[in-house]
Amino acid sequence: HVQLVESGGGLVQAGDSLKLSCVASGRTISNLGMGWFRQAPGKEREFVAAEDWIGGTTYYADFVKGRFTISRDNAKNTLYLQMDSLESEDTAVYYCTAHSGGDGSEDIRRYDYWGQGTQVTVSS
């Protein structure tokens, strides 16, 4: 079983940056497919970014391409999401997630493990 704990959220202004972290325990992340989803009030949880464990191929939702970067540090068993040029529309709870399949995926149904989420609020 994998436990995921996110941190790094907060209140920022439009145009600012934040870096989210997700520390995993219970299993190494080096062979897990991992990703970030987000959920705004009244909306469904949506895909943000994901990364394969093989080769580190990354995938992004169209609305974050060029602004967000997903990465991992296997030695620290930690996944990151660097968020630049934040917009008010990015306000949401951000969730770290992982699955044993190893590939990065936009499909929420693929993911087995979820963190508790971290709130990101962007004021305009």
Side-chain angles (χ1 to χ4, degrees):
H1 188 70
V2 179
Q3 293 81 41
L4 303 171
V5 179
E6 304 96 334
S7 62
L11 172 62
V12 297
Q13 293 186 333
D16 286 350
S17 299
L18 276 177
K19 187 172 185 177
L20 306 183
S21 299
C22 171
V23 178
S25 59
R27 180 174 170 178
T28 177
I29 67 170
S30 61
N31 59 1
L32 295 175
M34 299 197 72
W36 292 93
F37 283 71
R38 71 185 187 185
Q39 188 166 18
K43 295 187 177 181
E44 293 186 351
R45 195 170 296 189
E46 64 180 354
F47 170 75
V48 175
E51 184 182 52
D52 293 343
W53 76 273
I54 300 175
T57 302
T58 56
Y59 309 86
Y60 296 95
D62 287 343
F63 54 77
V64 302
K65 283 182 181 176
R67 299 190 299 125
F68 291 9
T69 304
I70 188 172
S71 63
R72 68 172 76 192
D73 185 334
N74 288 334
K76 295 182 178 180
N77 228 34
T78 301
L79 181 74
Y80 301 100
L81 184 68
Q82 175 68 44
M83 305 186 295
D84 298 320
S85 302
L86 283 162
E87 304 168 353
S88 57
E89 292 79 10
D90 296 318
T91 295
V93 177
Y94 284 72
Y95 296 91
C96 172
T97 185
H99 71 92
S100 301
D103 58 306
S105 176
E106 299 181 20
D107 187 350
I108 194 170
R109 297 168 299 180
R110 296 288 310 280
Y111 290 92
D112 305 308
Y113 309 106
W114 293 85
Q116 82 290 348
T118 185
Q119 176 71 47
V120 172
T121 304
V122 184
S123 63
S124 57

